């Protein structure tokens, strides 16, 4: 789920193309979508769906949505035609992967009866720019809104007892957990509120505009894939409370160059950093010396290359020289003249 994502690689149904199954987006927000019903079915014991010719999917009934047979990843199926979803009052859940990969979905209307939004329910809806969470919702899976690369706002009813939204960012109601930062939000920097004690898995995944993030004190763990695929992320401020940086937390965030750690070098050395965090581990770490001054980590000293010269007698017959490992670092290849018809070079890995 949390791998590198490139919209251009989606295939023939990329939003940049007008494939044979993409409807004309004649119905925009606040305009009714009118059209004949082209298909229908059930998606729960007492829940049904209908799809209009103009891309409106309506889900109605009572109780849980248990499956989504209208959304099968095949180019002949309807998920490529859906541009608006209305879930009517009475439906209590959005099932796992319900609208996964609905590439042209631009609007969602959720009812006040809704209680849960399942795993990857709206994942990869790459044209969905905002969503409104009604007051009734009590559980949103942490992967429900993954890969929504154009989403700029996640708004929540002020009457919701479990979730809240600040500037379009989704939090738990008590503001102690940051659940999801919209991937399409255009801000270049973000300071996580001081109230936050936990940042959910993948919370900033694929935020390709952010250049710097500051994490508040008291957060203990940077969870899996939290900052993965943040391609423009250059710097991050990490509190001394951090003890664990989980697998892939900074995977593919290859422009990360500076880590500002609000602690000492010895404290940083005790932080467990799991695999797939190469951008973090190759960054320059700055340590907080006295609450306001960061001390830059010294770069490791470069050892001078050491050569051992060996002489080959002039009358020795040589037909082949195989690869030789000098085990010495070089900034650039070094050319060597052997005389006669032989020539060689040492590459940057020290191999002849």
């Amino acid at each position: 789920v949390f791998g590198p994502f490139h919209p251009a690689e989606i295939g023939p149904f990329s939003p940049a193309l007008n494939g044979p199954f993409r409807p004309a987006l004649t119905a925009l927000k606040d305009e009714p979508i009118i059209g004949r019903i082209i298909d229908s079915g059930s998606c729960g014991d007492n829940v049904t769906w209908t799809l209009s010719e103009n891309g409106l999917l309506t889900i109605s009934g009572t109780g849980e949505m248990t499956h989504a047979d209208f959304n099968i990843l095949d180019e002949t199926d309807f998920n490529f035609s859906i541009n608006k979803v209305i879930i009517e009052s009475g439906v209590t859940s959005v099932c796992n992967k319900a609208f996964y990969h609905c590439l042209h979905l631009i609007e969602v209307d959720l009812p006040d009866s809704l209680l849960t939004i399942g795993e990857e329910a709206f994942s990869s809806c790459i044209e969905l720019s905002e969503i409104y969470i009604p007051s009734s919702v009590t559980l949103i899976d942490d992967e429900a809104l993954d890969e929504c690369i154009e989403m700029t706002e996640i708004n929540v009813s002020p009457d919701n007892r479990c979730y809240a939204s600040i500037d379009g960012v989704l939090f738990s109601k008590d503001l102690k957990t940051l659940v999801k930062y919209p991937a399409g939000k255009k801000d270049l920097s973000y300071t996580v509120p001081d109230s936050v004690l936990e940042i959910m898995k993948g919370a900033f995944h694929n935020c390709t505009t952010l250049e710097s993030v500051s994490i508040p004190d008291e957060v203990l763990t940077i969870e899996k894939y939290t900052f993965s695929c943040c391609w423009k992320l250059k710097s991050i401020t990490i509190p001394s409370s951090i003890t664990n940086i989980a697998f892939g937390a900074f995977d593919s965030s290859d422009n990360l160059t500076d880590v500002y750690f609000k602690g000492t070098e010895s404290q940083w050395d005790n932080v467990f950093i799991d695999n797939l965090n190469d951008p973090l581990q190759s960054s320059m770490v700055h340590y907080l010396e006295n609450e306001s001054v960061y001390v830059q980590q010294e770069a490791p000293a470069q050892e001078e290359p050491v050569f051992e010269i060996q002489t080959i007698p002039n009358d020795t017959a040589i037909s082949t020289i195989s690869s030789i490992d000098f085990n010495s670092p070089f900034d650039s290849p070094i050319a060597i003249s052997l005389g006669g018809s032989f020539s060689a070079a040492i590459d940057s890995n020290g191999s002849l």
Side-chain angles (χ1 to χ4, degrees):
V1 174
F2 296 104
F5 176 76
H6 302 279
E9 296 178 359
I10 291 174
F13 298 97
S14 169
L17 302 176
N18 190 17
F21 297 99
R22 182 175 184 177
L25 298 183
T26 56
L28 301 177
K29 291 183 180 181
D30 301 322
E31 295 182 8
I33 303 178
I34 302 172
R36 66 183 180 87
I37 302 301
I38 59 174
D39 211 331
S40 62
S42 65
C43 50
D45 291 341
N46 297 297
V47 181
T48 60
W49 61 269
T50 60
L51 180 67
S52 78
E53 62 181 352
N54 288 329
L56 170 63
L57 180 72
T58 304
I59 297 173
S60 57
T62 57
E64 296 183 357
M65 181 196 301
T66 58
H67 59 279
D69 59 2
F70 51 81
N71 186 2
I72 303 173
L73 289 182
D74 183 284
E75 62 184 35
T76 61
D77 288 302
F78 299 131
N79 58 317
F80 293 103
S81 297
I82 299 168
N83 58 45
K84 180 173 181 178
V85 170
I86 296 177
I87 302 178
E88 295 184 343
S89 182
V91 178
T92 60
S93 70
V94 178
C95 69
N96 295 348
K97 291 182 178 284
F99 307 103
Y100 174 74
H101 214 256
C102 285
L103 298 183
H104 309 305
L105 178 61
I106 60 174
E107 186 176 356
V108 174
D109 187 356
L110 303 177
D112 284 334
S113 59
L114 193 67
L115 299 176
T116 63
I117 301 175
E119 180 182 345
E120 297 184 277
F122 295 98
S123 179
S124 298
C125 292
I126 61 173
E127 292 190 359
L128 186 62
S129 62
E130 61 182 273
I131 193 168
Y132 183 81
I133 308 299
S135 61
S136 54
V137 171
T138 60
L139 178 64
I140 303 172
D141 187 88
D142 55 16
E143 297 180 20
L145 300 171
D146 278 349
E147 307 290 4
C148 294
I149 59 173
E150 292 297 323
M151 184 165 288
T152 58
E153 293 182 65
I154 305 169
N155 294 312
V156 180
S157 166
D159 297 326
N160 190 294
R161 295 181 297 173
C162 298
Y163 293 98
S165 177
I166 300 177
D167 194 25
V169 181
L170 182 63
F171 294 89
S172 60
K173 187 67 173 183
D174 59 9
L175 304 183
K176 292 183 179 181
T177 301
L178 192 156
V179 180
K180 192 67 175 177
Y181 185 95
K185 198 170 173 62
K186 302 305 181 185
D187 296 347
L188 299 181
S189 63
Y190 184 69
T191 299
V192 178
D194 289 339
S195 62
V196 170
L197 303 179
E198 180 183 14
I199 301 174
M200 295 294 286
K201 178 182 71 174
F204 290 86
H205 170 68
N206 222 16
C207 292
T208 56
T209 301
L210 276 174
E211 295 182 2
S212 66
V213 176
S214 179
I215 301 173
D217 298 339
E218 308 303 330
V219 175
L220 300 178
T221 298
I222 300 177
E223 301 287 354
K224 289 182 178 180
Y225 309 110
T226 298
F227 296 100
S228 62
C229 299
C230 294
W231 297 315
K232 290 188 178 180
L233 186 65
K234 297 177 182 178
S235 69
I236 187 160
T237 300
I238 297 177
S240 60
S241 56
I242 290 289
T243 59
N244 178 57
I245 298 176
F247 182 87
F250 291 89
D251 181 36
S252 298
S253 295
D254 295 330
N255 283 315
L256 184 65
T257 56
D258 292 279
V259 175
Y260 294 90
F261 181 65
K262 295 162 71 173
T264 64
E265 184 173 0
S266 61
Q267 286 175 307
W268 178 254
D269 290 340
N270 288 325
V271 176
F272 174 75
I273 303 177
D274 207 341
N275 295 330
L276 214 63
N277 281 300
D278 292 348
L280 177 74
Q281 293 176 302
S282 62
S283 295
M284 180 68 70
V285 181
H286 309 264
Y287 304 103
L288 186 62
E289 188 177 54
N290 56 26
E291 296 186 359
S292 60
V293 179
Y294 282 93
V295 178
Q296 182 171 303
Q297 176 189 39
E298 292 186 5
Q302 295 290 329
E303 295 183 3
E304 292 294 327
V306 178
F307 299 93
E308 179 181 347
I309 306 300
Q310 294 183 345
T311 302
I312 300 176
N314 289 334
D315 58 354
T316 301
I318 302 174
S319 59
T320 302
I321 297 179
S322 61
S323 176
I324 302 172
D325 187 1
F326 280 78
N327 293 320
S328 298
F330 299 93
D331 291 332
S332 59
I334 299 174
I336 300 175
S337 175
L338 300 178
S341 60
F342 291 96
S343 63
I346 301 176
D347 65 20
S348 59
N349 294 319
S351 295
L352 180 65

